Amino acid sequence: MRNGQNMDYVLISRCVVYLFVVAAHCRGQLIPLSQQSFKDITSNVFETQVEGVVAAFGDFDCDKKTDIFVIAEDGHRVDLWLWHEKSSTAPGSTPGTLRKCQNATIKIPNEVITSVVPGDYDGDSRMDLLVLTKPLTKAKDDTAPTSSHIYWGITKQLAFDLKNTTVSVDMFDQPLVMDYNADMVPDIFGADSNGDRFFWSADPNSKHNRNIVPKPFSDETETAQETLLPLRKPHSHIFVDLSGDLGADLLVTSVDSGVTKFEQWIKTNDKLQWDGTYIDLPSGNFAHVGQSVYTDIDASGKVDHLLPVCEDELCHNSAIYAMYDDETEWRLLLNGFTFGSMGWGFIPPADNPLTISNIPIMLNIGDYTMDGFPDALAILQNTSHGETTRQLILLHNILCESNNPDICSKDYRTFIVDIYPGVMDLEEPVVASFFDFYEDGVLDLLVTTMVDDKPMIHALENFLNEDACFVKVLVLSGLCFYNCPGEVEPYGVNQPGPMINYQTTDPDGKQRFSAAVQLSQSAYFSLQLPYVVMGLGQTPNFIDYLTVGIPNNGDSRQQTWTQIIPCSKVIVIPYPPDEPANWNSKIIVTPSPIVYMTAGVLAGTCIFIAGIVGILHWREKREDKEEKRQEAHRFHFDAM
């Protein structure tokens, strides 16, 4: 090859590099980092104004789309809003709408519905509904007992059987839905009016498994009821992996002389075991203790314990503490909420304007920035002025670099208040949650506000302009697979307790981890989604390992998938539950803008290189032709 051609190929290499640099620069100019806003799309999603309170989520009609349960009519009615795909979608509109299912309405005129929890309570792979009620005049009376009833789902008719099954009429408080015996059929954990702990489970010997029987807590734990502290009200029981084996255990909140304690019950073989020790609150005097929540706050691959608290009755001094998975001491995650000159704090539970139920202080977890570090959603009050105003606030998870221990612990995570257009426009929010309207892995917002003393539902779209990737995981009950009874072939329904974690490699070659738990809580409008969305940041690499674990009775039940495409939805059907190697998974890819841009840059690069190669090839042929012509006219002395 000639020297000129060597120079040409060097020029090609430099042009390719330059092309990538220009593409990256243009991408940075077109899509600035950390620029988000939220737009009200209520009219597009519901097509009408919806009065009621968002209460729970689940795929009732088995179409792989998430439906919504709403408590309406001042707590006397439950409505089911089904997701319907649009036949054609105009640019900028939602791909579907939520429409009320008339056949699935449940009315209870003589009591107040305080909560609903969807699940498959009889093991027929169809969604049922646990409905919790209180007497008509005692909805917010903490001393009043809670009644619980299960309405059995009829998927083919998109309806509920109004001949419900009564679980209990004298529960101490709202229960936790979990799977303590690892049979993939949800059970109910709580206490009776005397404070004795019980599990309520389907009797396998009854017709259609629809006889719900109580089992004393001591029978499943070999611990006498008399030695246990009373349960706290309101509780924050959590069904989550506490031992690191990806099998869900049980965190119980009890109370000793008015002081909150935490008990860790570890699943060992077929029993829950407790070592007799308690986890105390962080040091300090707290007027209000909020709901515990577990999330992988530091992206270590294991979930951590977060606890919101108020140091005074009015919650002007609010804080969030964290106990990391490998530690036994609480660390201050955030002390006070500030944004500019404004100060924010939690809202005391007594100030809740919702008439159907008391709502404790809580955090709703979701990675709305998709950077791999879960953020939070909270309803706070402005403490900077004399008049208290309620606002929906997004809390962004960032690295804490302060040396001041009153702010946060150095090199640990913290939250900062994010103020966005659209979110601050909502007045008097009462409950809120994340929700993926577009099924694209971007977490939007679903908010209930009080308008003229009536609860109204709003949908806000998250315009996330960062080219971030994600993985969305939905773990189902897995009691059947293409052999389910009836004419409808569901994969399964909401399943509490599965653990999900992933490992990937970022562009710098560093390993990245994250972990999450699916449906770990069910009481007090926890509004946890029946799936898990974990951000990957701007890392369009394959997910090296995605591991899913389900509740077990001693033997590990987990499966690992490798080389998962980013920006994809993974549906895991753990069937049969005891044979992880045979579990099924469905992967639905949802390309993000970075994938399209990468494909465009790749295509442009190939065309550019092909053009240069074509030009060089043409120049070489032309030079060869010229040499042959000169050779033909050259005088040959050998011919003389």
Side-chain angles (χ1 to χ4, degrees), residues 25-211:
H25 176 73
C26 292
R27 174 170 161 262
Q29 293 295 323
L30 293 173
I31 307 176
L33 297 179
S34 301
Q35 179 179 336
Q36 297 122 327
S37 61
F38 289 82
K39 177 184 177 182
D40 194 321
I41 56 171
T42 306
S43 58
N44 292 334
V45 171
F46 291 99
E47 297 183 339
T48 182
Q49 201 169 26
V50 180
E51 180 179 339
V53 184
V54 177
F57 307 103
D59 180 12
F60 184 78
D61 54 354
C62 307
D63 63 349
K64 314 304 174 292
K65 306 295 182 183
T66 305
D67 309 312
I68 297 177
F69 293 89
V70 174
I71 299 177
E73 202 176 308
D74 294 327
H76 298 302
R77 190 181 77 229
V78 179
D79 294 330
L80 171 62
W81 290 76
L82 295 175
W83 185 264
H84 290 266
E85 293 282 356
K86 291 182 179 178
S87 56
S88 61
T89 304
S93 65
T94 56
T97 59
L98 286 161
R99 301 174 186 172
K100 184 178 175 180
C101 181
Q102 301 295 338
N103 294 337
T105 295
I106 298 173
K107 293 185 177 181
I108 306 179
N110 300 322
E111 295 186 18
V112 175
I113 301 169
T114 59
S115 181
V116 298
V117 187
D120 176 19
Y121 295 98
D122 58 353
D124 64 352
S125 293
R126 284 167 174 76
M127 181 169 288
D128 312 309
L129 192 66
L130 174 67
V131 179
L132 306 174
T133 65
K134 277 194 173 185
L136 192 60
T137 59
K138 298 182 178 181
K140 300 183 72 171
D141 185 354
D142 288 337
T143 63
T146 295
S147 298
S148 53
H149 314 271
I150 296 178
Y151 289 79
W152 307 103
I154 308 174
T155 306
K156 182 179 178 181
Q157 300 177 13
L158 294 179
F160 289 105
D161 187 350
L162 298 182
K163 295 180 180 178
N164 62 81
T165 297
T166 299
V167 177
S168 174
V169 295
D170 65 344
M171 281 188 178
F172 175 70
D173 196 9
Q174 295 187 23
L176 168 71
V177 173
M178 57 178 291
D179 182 14
Y180 83 94
N181 55 7
D183 62 353
M184 306 304 288
V185 177
D187 310 301
I188 302 168
F189 168 69
D192 62 11
S193 57
N194 296 323
D196 292 332
R197 304 180 188 185
F198 280 91
F199 290 109
W200 285 268
S201 304
D203 182 2
N205 299 319
S206 66
K207 184 178 181 180
H208 303 302
N209 296 342
R210 292 185 174 179
N211 181 27

Side-chain angles (χ1 to χ4, degrees), residues 367 369-373 468-471 502 512 514 533-537:
D367 187 3
T369 58
M370 298 173 66
D371 61 355
F373 295 92
C469 296
F470 69 93
V471 60
Y502 75 74
R512 296 188 60 172
S514 188
V533 178
M534 296 187 288
L536 299 172

Side-chain angles (χ1 to χ4, degrees), residues 277-567:
T277 61
Y278 297 95
I279 297 176
D280 295 322
L281 293 176
S283 59
N285 296 320
F286 304 118
H288 302 287
V289 177
Q291 300 298 95
S292 295
V293 64
Y294 268 80
T295 185
D296 187 5
I297 191 69
D298 58 346
S300 63
K302 296 182 179 179
V303 290
D304 312 301
H305 188 174
L306 304 189
L307 181 68
V309 298
C310 291
E311 298 177 0
D312 60 290
E313 287 291 340
L314 298 179
C315 287
H316 287 178
N317 297 318
S318 302
I320 301 176
Y321 286 84
M323 182 177 291
Y324 288 83
D325 64 277
D326 56 347
E327 298 181 355
T328 58
E329 299 292 334
W330 293 98
R331 289 182 176 268
L332 185 62
L333 189 71
L334 177 63
N335 187 12
F337 305 87
T338 58
F339 182 82
S341 60
M342 294 185 295
W344 300 88
F346 292 116
I347 298 176
D351 293 343
N352 161 41
L354 195 63
T355 59
I356 63 174
S357 177
N358 286 321
I359 300 179
I361 298 169
M362 62 175 59
L363 299 172
N364 196 288
I365 301 298
D367 187 3
Y368 72 91
T369 58
M370 298 173 66
D371 61 355
F373 295 92
D375 309 300
L377 180 67
I379 296 176
L380 305 179
Q381 61 180 343
N382 190 334
T383 61
S384 300
H385 307 285
E387 183 180 355
T388 299
T389 57
R390 302 167 61 95
Q391 292 289 346
L392 180 64
I393 300 296
L394 289 160
L395 301 175
H396 186 191
N397 181 353
I398 65 169
L399 180 65
C400 182
E401 299 178 348
S402 173
N403 291 316
N404 185 354
D406 292 333
I407 299 177
C408 64
S409 303
K410 183 176 175 59
D411 296 331
Y412 280 77
R413 309 300 297 184
T414 188
F415 289 121
I416 59 171
V417 174
D418 271 353
I419 302 294
Y420 294 115
V423 178
M424 297 296 291
D425 296 337
L426 298 177
E427 298 181 358
E428 289 298 307
V430 286
V431 293
S433 71
F434 293 102
F435 191 84
D436 184 7
F437 287 111
Y438 289 84
E439 293 288 339
D440 59 357
V442 178
L443 291 177
D444 309 300
L445 300 180
L446 197 56
V447 188
T448 301
T449 66
M450 297 299 291
V451 178
D452 297 328
D453 296 326
K454 293 183 179 180
M456 306 300 294
I457 298 175
H458 304 265
L460 299 181
E461 180 184 356
N462 179 2
F463 283 90
L464 181 59
N465 290 332
E466 294 182 4
D467 284 334
C469 296
F470 69 93
V471 60
K472 182 175 181 179
V473 183
L474 170 62
V475 185
L476 301 172
S477 55
L479 293 174
C480 60
F481 183 61
Y482 291 130
N483 61 348
C484 301
E487 298 181 10
V488 178
E489 292 290 349
Y491 289 133
V493 299
N494 291 14
Q495 182 63 28
M499 293 294 302
I500 303 102
N501 63 29
Y502 75 74
Q503 175 182 337
T504 187
T505 305
D506 63 19
D508 296 330
K510 297 180 180 179
Q511 297 295 313
R512 296 188 60 172
F513 306 88
S514 188
V517 57
Q518 177 179 289
L519 292 176
S520 61
Q521 293 172 296
S522 56
Y524 314 112
F525 295 95
S526 57
L527 295 181
Q528 294 187 353
L529 296 169
Y531 50 79
V532 169
V533 178
M534 296 187 288
L536 299 172
Q538 294 182 333
T539 308
N541 293 342
F542 281 84
I543 300 172
D544 298 330
Y545 302 100
L546 177 69
T547 303
V548 172
I550 61 175
N552 61 69
N553 278 325
D555 295 332
S556 176
R557 297 201 290 186
Q558 58 180 272
Q559 176 63 291
T560 299
W561 289 268
T562 60
Q563 299 301 303
I564 299 296
I565 301 173
C567 298

Side-chain angles (χ1 to χ4, degrees), residues 258-278:
V259 179
T260 300
K261 304 285 186 178
F262 298 102
E263 306 167 8
Q264 290 188 338
W265 293 83
I266 307 301
K267 193 63 177 293
T268 305
N269 297 325
D270 60 346
K271 299 288 184 181
L272 287 167
Q273 301 290 336
W274 175 49
D275 62 5
T277 61
Y278 297 95

